[in-house]
Amino acid sequence: MNKKILIWSITAALAGFLFGFDTVVISGAEKKLQLLWGTTDFFHGMVVIGMALWGTVIGAFFGGIPTNKLGRKQTLIYIGILYTVSAIGSGLANDPWTFAVFRFIGGLGVGVSTIAAPAYISEIAPAKDRGKLVGLYQFNIVFGILIAFLSNYLLNNIGEYAWRWMVGIEALPAAIYTLIVITVPKSPRWLITKLRNDEAKKSLKMISPNLDPEKLMMEIKLEMDNTVPNENIFLKKYRFPLILAFLIAFFNQFSGINAFLYYAPRILEEAGLGESAALLSSIGVGLTNMLFTLLGIFLIDKLGRKQLMYICSFGYIISLSLVSAAFFLNWEGSFMPIFLFMFIAAHAIGQGTVIWVFISEIFPNHLRSSGQSFGSSVHWVLAAVIPSLVPVLFSTIGAGIVFLIFAIMMVLQLFFVIFMMPETKGVSLEDLSKKLINRKK
């Protein structure tokens, strides 16, 4: 593998580290903030905590616009600025509304990063290594989550204003990321879609010095010749990749992954584990997530995306069925953490590793950012809605039925993998475009 491509991919993937860190860092400060500002549970949940999530949803909805108009690289730079401003502003905030506004800004960075970073890496990566290189984005997310838990632990007892340091410390990696992402080359595929051919040729020579830039440019131009000006992903000929993006994002969240991550302490407590639940869920889940994400990245270009989705589907079905059974049959004690870690491992090696890779591959060059935005939006809207319903569902229909529903949804995911999901391993983006798009429509 070209070492420069690896370095540039890692640099872009660091947007995922900031994503993971920003998402989880609030967990160490939120109780202190509610006591400090005396906010109600509703206001605290919807505004102080929830504003970042809604920023993520809006960032995912509209992030395709700057990614397409300004380019992948420029958008990555702006993402770093958003994270930096958010961290500094949140750390200095003196009231809940100001805090929420700056957290919203960070949420915008999270949402846009799920579009720009995978799109950029997929466009500079060789086909044979594309899975593992785009998978670095997901690895950085789980690594950022783990570092946020560790950072919160280390900063927890430094004094009255520990919460300011917890949320403000992110400005340091965010500023470093912003500076180093300036050094990456622009995506040649994006440059060609904008008819900036001379720049594209220079970028291609930097990225793939052993390949003939004219040949690759011709392949990309041939793909563009089958397009019409100002078309969008909702045309009939793009229906199949659109359905694929929707379904993989849909099943990602209907696995119940965010319900597990957000409510792990509550789930473990209800299973009789007691006060050790919080520590077990944060550190144990974080480590399991990271280790199996690493395994998924190692395997994604060897076994392929579809094989990892088979593994994770069976892992989901088994672990979720066991969790459901534990609630129905009152299996208390040490069983539930084992089932929880089985579930996290299944997710990390499959959906967690595959989703951003797969969505970044299935759309043509000129519509990749729009396709990423669509898939990311489905993911984040469901990530907002499903966990918010979990406490109500637990108290009405019961946890056993909730996890049984998740298990049934994963049986449907298995059918999706068997009958619909194409294998994208080792195929060039241009060849995938020919394969997945119905040109007759």
Side-chain angles (χ1 to χ4, degrees):
M1 189 192 302
N2 185 327
K3 287 184 180 179
K4 287 184 178 179
I5 291 178
L6 178 60
I7 292 169
W8 293 328
S9 298
I10 291 171
T11 301
L14 287 173
F17 174 86
L18 296 171
F19 165 176
F21 193 98
D22 189 82
T23 302
V24 168
V25 73
I26 190 64
S27 65
E30 59 96 6
K31 286 185 179 178
K32 296 180 177 69
L33 291 176
Q34 188 170 16
L35 288 172
L36 177 66
W37 290 324
T39 53
T40 64
D41 288 342
F42 179 81
F43 184 88
H44 182 69
M46 291 296 293
V47 178
V48 178
I49 306 304
M51 196 64 81
L53 185 56
W54 293 113
T56 301
V57 171
I58 291 172
F61 265 121
F62 298 106
I65 297 173
T67 305
N68 183 48
K69 298 284 187 184
L70 303 176
R72 286 61 162 136
K73 174 183 175 178
Q74 199 64 37
T75 304
L76 289 171
I77 294 170
Y78 285 129
I79 287 168
I81 294 171
L82 287 174
Y83 281 129
T84 307
V85 170
S86 172
I88 294 171
S90 301
L92 295 175
N94 290 312
D95 64 88
W97 280 109
T98 303
F99 183 85
V101 167
F102 281 107
R103 288 288 295 164
F104 178 84
I105 291 170
L108 290 176
V110 170
V112 180
S113 80
T114 60
I115 300 162
Y120 176 81
I121 300 169
S122 73
E123 291 178 350
I124 69 166
K128 65 183 179 64
D129 298 314
R130 192 172 58 237
K132 66 171 68 76
L133 290 176
V134 180
L136 289 171
Y137 178 74
Q138 176 66 21
F139 169 75
N140 272 280
I141 293 172
V142 298
F143 183 53
I145 289 171
L146 193 60
I147 295 301
F149 281 131
L150 180 61
S151 173
N152 284 347
Y153 174 77
L154 294 174
L155 294 172
N156 188 48
N157 296 313
I158 64 170
E160 181 183 353
Y161 297 109
W163 69 268
R164 294 190 185 275
W165 287 100
M166 285 182 184
V167 297
I169 196 68
E170 186 188 352
L172 180 60
I176 294 171
Y177 163 78
T178 307
L179 292 174
I180 62 174
V181 82
I182 294 171
T183 65
V184 305
K186 293 179 180 177
S187 163
R189 286 181 166 89
W190 175 78
L191 288 169
I192 292 171
T193 64
K194 299 303 178 185
L195 305 179
R196 292 161 61 173
N197 295 335
D198 290 339
E199 289 181 72
K201 192 178 293 187
K202 290 178 183 177
S203 185
L204 279 169
K205 285 179 179 177
M206 288 177 64
I207 292 168
S208 303
N210 298 324
L211 297 180
D212 180 6
E214 297 289 348
K215 183 181 177 183
L216 182 54
M217 288 177 70
M218 187 61 67
E219 289 176 0
I220 297 170
K221 286 177 181 177
L222 281 173
E223 182 201 71
M224 291 178 62
D225 287 342
N226 291 295
T227 67
V228 295
N230 301 317
E231 65 179 7
N232 59 66
I233 57 171
F234 298 104
L235 295 178
K236 283 186 179 180
K237 66 179 179 180
Y238 301 123
R239 185 174 292 168
F240 186 53
L242 199 70
I243 291 171
L244 291 175
F246 175 85
L247 287 176
I248 197 165
F250 176 88
F251 286 124
N252 182 286
Q253 287 303 304
F254 267 95
S255 68
I257 180 61
N258 278 16
F260 260 114
L261 292 177
Y262 294 176
Y263 299 106
R266 182 186 301 214
I267 293 165
L268 292 170
E269 246 177 76
E270 288 195 21
L273 203 66
E275 294 180 2
S276 63
L279 181 62
L280 186 66
S281 65
S282 62
I283 298 174
V285 167
L287 284 172
T288 304
N289 204 355
M290 191 172 75
L291 290 173
F292 279 87
T293 298
L294 273 174
L295 182 58
I297 292 170
F298 175 74
L299 294 174
I300 193 168
D301 286 318
K302 296 180 183 297
L303 299 182
R305 291 66 162 144
K306 192 161 182 164
Q307 292 301 317
L308 291 187
M309 288 293 288
Y310 275 124
I311 293 169
C312 96
S313 294
F314 284 113
Y316 276 149
I317 293 165
I318 294 168
S319 58
L320 286 167
S321 298
L322 287 170
V323 170
S324 178
F327 280 109
F328 280 123
L329 302 174
N330 296 316
W331 295 345
E332 294 193 348
S334 60
F335 286 108
M336 191 64 81
I338 296 170
F339 304 156
L340 173 59
F341 292 160
M342 284 175 60
F343 172 83
I344 293 296
H347 175 81
I349 200 171
Q351 269 276 14
T353 300
V354 170
I355 181 171
W356 305 119
V357 176
F358 188 71
I359 295 175
S360 74
E361 295 175 320
I362 58 178
F363 292 97
N365 291 309
H366 69 296
L367 292 175
R368 181 161 296 110
S369 58
S370 300
Q372 286 272 137
S373 181
F374 173 79
S376 183
S377 297
V378 173
H379 175 276
W380 285 113
V381 168
L382 292 175
V385 172
I386 293 173
S388 67
L389 295 175
V390 165
V392 177
L393 292 172
F394 274 13
S395 62
T396 52
I397 64 175
I401 294 177
V402 170
F403 288 107
L404 179 60
I405 292 169
F406 288 148
I408 293 169
M409 294 304 293
M410 292 304 94
V411 173
L412 296 180
Q413 175 181 274
L414 181 59
F415 288 136
F416 159 70
V417 175
I418 294 170
F419 296 111
M420 283 189 70
M421 184 179 178
E423 181 54 74
T424 58
K425 178 188 75 168
V427 185
S428 75
L429 296 175
E430 289 68 41
D431 287 342
L432 278 173
S433 182
K434 293 175 191 174
K435 180 181 176 183
L436 299 177
I437 294 167
N438 184 351
R439 301 290 187 190
K440 295 179 182 179
K441 298 293 184 182

